[in-house]
Structure formats: C-alpha cells, structure tokens
Amino acid sequence: MDLTVNTPVKKLVVLGSTGSIGTQTLEVVRAFPERFEIVGLVNGRNTELFKKQLEEFKPVFFDTLGDIDANYAGSQFAPVEEIVSRPEVDLVMAAMVGCAGLLPVIAALNAGKDLALANKEVIVMAGDLLMKGAREGGAMILPADSEPSAIWQCLEGETSYPSRLIITASGGAFRDRTWESLSDVTPEQALKHPTWSMGPKITIDSATLMNKAFEVIESRWMFDIPFDQIDVTIHRQSIVHSMVEFADGTIKAQLGPTSMLQVIQHALMYPDRHENSALPKLDAVSMGALTFEDMDQSLYPCFELALEYGKKGGTYPAALAGADEAAVELFSTGKIRFTEIPDVVASTLANHDVIADPSVDDAIEAARWSTESTLSRHNHCTILS
Ligand code: MG
C-alpha cells in the first residue's frame, strides 16, 4: 500500500539544524524528498556545516549566530521568530540546545505551528505555558526524545488515563561507579555514553541524570500527570524506551533500537509510519536479556535536586535549566569538578528570587539570571589535579 499518494508535502523549519538531532532530522528529510520541504534552517555557530545545509536544502529563510551573507545560495536571512511564524510552515523541529530555544518555540506555538520537541529545556522552563500555548493555538507537541516518544506511542489509541509512567534510564556514563570516585572524571569520560550517541550537553546531563529529571518534568507537562505517578527505572540496554501502566495493571512498553532516527521520523511523519532503509532494526532474539533496576539515588544527587525544584514550580524550573546549562559548561571547560555540578546548581537555586506565576519573559529572565550568576561565581576557577 502506498500511503504517500495524495499526502501533502509537509513544510518544515529546523531549529538547531547542525546539532545531533538537527542533522538526523535532515537525514530523515533526505530519505523522503517527496514528503518534506525545508522552509527554514536555524543554527548556532557551526557555520561550515550550516552553509552546506543551505546549499543542499535551499530553504527560503535562514537565521544563524554565524557570519553568513544575508543572501546565501538563494536563501534569505530572517529572524528566527519570523521564520517559524510564516504562514506556509506546518511543523517546527525544536532541536536547539538549552534555554535559548524557548522564544522561537513560543513564537511557533503562538502561530499555531505543530512542534516536534527535542529541546527539553524549554518545556522544563515553562511547561505550563507551552502546553497552554499549544492548546490555544490548536497545535500539537510531538515528542522528539526517545522516552516521551515511547510514552506517547504507548498512549496512542487509549481512552483511559494512565495510572503510572515508567521512564527508563540507561544510568549514564558512570552507572557502575560510586559518587565519591567521580571527583576526578574528565569531560571526555563523561561524554562516553554507554548506549546512545547524542550531543555533548545532553550526554553530560545523562551522566548526572539531570537529563532524566528533565524528562520527568517534561512528562509531567506533556502528559498532564502528577509527579508522584512518574517512576524512573534503570534499564541498561536502552531498548525499552519507556512504559505506561493503566488502572487494570496492564503495562505497555515501546521498544526500539538505540537510534534517534526512528523517534525523529515518527514525530515528523505522525501519524504515518514508513519504511526507511536507513533505520536500524531490532531483532528480539539477539537483543538478549532486558533488565530493570532501582535507581541508586546516592549516585545521582542532581536527579533529586532537579525534581525538588521542578515540583516547586514558578520560575524555579527555568532557573534550574539555566544553572544546569552553566554548570555543564563550567565542567566541560575544566572550571569545576563533575561532583561539584549538583552543589553549583543548588547554590544558584538557593539564591533565586522566585516568581510564583511567571510569564514567558519571567522564565527567560530567570534562566538568564541563573546562567550568568552561576558562570560569574565560578568562571575564575580552575581545577588543580
Ligand atoms: Mg531521552
């Protein structure tokens, strides 16, 4: 059966096109030239790759932090908020890293655009406002992150509310170490994820399990479920991407290879599924034993800390995202130790003047303040080892 007949071309904007999710999004687009058209590309500073993308995909518009002529290879510079709001745009892939993604995401939702969301910091910062924006604009938020995507796929077709979400976690690069033994680990070691290949910030966040706390906060908003009905379990194989339990005790799980391509393709093509020879397949016999373990909280102080402030609400989650962004940068540039990350984040949050019922601007300001005050406290530091 050929489902592509009469399927209208989906017009996309990709935010963060030179990052890990951005390049894989373009890989999916490349595999289905008859289904997708790139209207806009937006990137940060990887100018060399970005120019190649502009030459290949010929978007109508682009925005970049790099130094590129306003007219490049037939594409026109325009501010990102303007690009995502263009009437012809159907879907925006939000794959920027960190808090900077919030403004374009809000602009896209305000314009009623469907959003594929990989940039989880933005839903941590302002989950309530994002979901409200989507509801009011009549837009869908489609997860482009393996765990929320798994939950979403388990819920598809169900009419009952889930009783529990069970988010799986690989445990990150240091899952078999003790916390005390981690004081001398290097950024290179933290960047060796045991199962997934991802961008640098999310890989460090995976080693601290900050990323998992972000996914819990993300799921709380995306699936409108209380925090106490979301569990996390360590699943070393990263094959079960997450599970959902219903009132009758039935648990549904979504399984797949550890590849973001499937996740991205599902978000871009929803509700259709198509053969793509670039997608890895999973074989039930060769996947071997699947294990599920309790999470050792003592190994992951960031997890508890992040959930504490995620639950407090107001501008705290935005300040959390901002402080984490700074702490990851400080660790990556050798200014603090890995084991200092939770303390650095905690001391910023302890000094945050919270706003209880924030606007988008309040959330952005809280994250900005948090990043800057964290960086300025530690920027002069160097680790003596
Ligand atoms: Mg994930």
Side-chain angles (χ1 to χ4, degrees):
M1 183 169 57
D2 183 6
L3 297 171
T4 61
V5 178
N6 296 329
T7 305
V9 174
K10 219 178 247 186
K11 301 195 172 183
L12 309 181
V13 174
V14 183
L15 308 177
S17 67
T18 54
S20 171
I21 297 292
T23 52
Q24 292 181 82
T25 297
L26 293 178
E27 225 177 290
V28 173
V29 168
R30 209 178 268 128
F32 298 95
E34 73 290 355
R35 290 188 59 109
F36 299 112
E37 189 182 315
I38 301 288
V39 177
L41 291 178
V42 177
N43 95 322
R45 297 189 191 280
N46 188 346
T47 302
E48 206 177 314
L49 176 58
F50 193 58
K51 281 182 168 173
K52 285 194 187 123
Q53 292 179 343
L54 294 178
E55 288 157 20
E56 179 183 352
F57 292 95
K58 305 198 180 316
V60 189
F61 302 103
F62 72 90
D63 191 358
T64 180
L65 293 178
D67 187 13
I68 300 179
D69 288 346
N71 256 305
Y72 186 84
S75 299
Q76 183 79 40
F77 173 86
V80 57
E81 284 83 5
E82 220 173 285
I83 299 176
V84 297
S85 314
R86 299 281 310 178
E88 63 269 38
V89 173
D90 297 310
L91 184 140
V92 175
M93 166 57 85
M96 290 166 89
V97 178
C99 301
L102 184 57
L103 219 50
V105 158
I106 291 286
L109 290 177
N110 284 345
K113 307 303 182 188
D114 290 338
L115 190 75
L117 185 65
N119 184 185
K120 71 191 75 170
E121 288 89 348
V122 303
I123 194 167
V124 169
M125 290 169 74
D128 199 11
L129 296 168
L130 234 65
M131 299 315 290
K132 218 170 100 196
R135 272 195 310 274
E136 284 170 2
M140 279 191 294
I141 298 185
L142 309 148
D145 180 7
S146 65
E147 296 81 356
S149 175
I151 293 167
W152 174 46
Q153 293 182 61
C154 290
L155 291 174
E156 269 181 71
E158 295 287 345
T159 53
S160 302
Y161 221 64
S163 54
R164 202 157 57 103
L165 308 182
I166 306 154
I167 297 177
T168 54
S170 70
F174 305 128
R175 61 193 182 185
D176 292 315
R177 306 269 299 257
T178 62
W179 181 252
E180 293 68 37
S181 76
L182 299 179
S183 70
D184 290 328
V185 298
T186 62
E188 292 69 35
Q189 289 170 306
L191 286 170
K192 286 204 183 95
H193 195 279
T195 50
W196 290 95
S197 162
M198 305 180 289
K201 179 181 185 260
I202 189 173
T203 306
I204 307 258
D205 279 342
S206 295
T208 61
L209 247 71
M210 183 65 87
N211 178 59
K212 207 48 59 177
F214 283 180
E215 286 172 0
V216 171
I217 299 170
E218 176 178 20
S219 299
R220 183 262 170 274
W221 294 114
M222 199 174 266
F223 306 110
D224 191 22
I225 190 167
F227 279 111
D228 63 5
Q229 285 169 250
I230 308 174
D231 291 343
V232 171
T233 181
I234 300 289
H235 168 53
R236 291 168 175 263
Q237 298 79 24
S238 298
I239 284 174
V240 172
H241 295 323
S242 278
M243 299 179 266
V244 171
E245 186 188 73
F246 295 93
D248 62 359
T250 293
I251 293 180
K252 281 169 80 176
Q254 188 264 343
L255 284 70
T258 49
S259 157
M260 285 308 296
L261 286 171
Q262 260 98 352
V263 178
I264 292 166
Q265 181 169 316
H266 191 55
L268 295 183
M269 289 201 166
Y270 177 80
D272 301 339
R273 294 189 190 266
H274 285 284
E275 168 77 25
N276 175 352
S277 60
L279 302 182
K281 299 283 192 309
L282 201 57
D283 169 53
V285 174
S286 61
M287 73 173 82
L290 303 179
T291 59
F292 302 93
E293 303 159 51
D294 259 343
M295 181 174 56
D296 177 359
Q297 298 260 1
S298 70
L299 188 54
Y300 303 111
C302 281
F303 180 80
E304 214 174 339
L305 173 74
L307 278 193
E308 182 193 333
Y309 283 95
K311 288 174 187 171
K312 282 185 181 187
T315 44
Y316 274 127
L320 166 72
D324 175 60
E325 202 164 316
V328 169
E329 188 183 322
L330 290 166
F331 167 64
S332 303
T333 51
K335 301 210 163 110
I336 62 169
R337 292 178 192 279
F338 183 79
T339 44
E340 287 177 292
I341 293 175
D343 305 336
V344 164
V345 172
S347 65
T348 299
L349 291 172
N351 288 313
H352 177 58
D353 287 325
V354 67
I355 297 173
D357 194 10
S359 64
V360 171
D361 289 343
D362 294 333
I364 290 170
E365 174 52 25
R368 189 204 58 78
W369 168 84
S370 190
T371 300
E372 280 179 14
S373 69
T374 308
L375 289 177
S376 66
R377 280 203 321 278
H378 298 277
N379 244 336
H380 59 281
C381 304
T382 42
I383 299 169
L384 303 172
S385 53

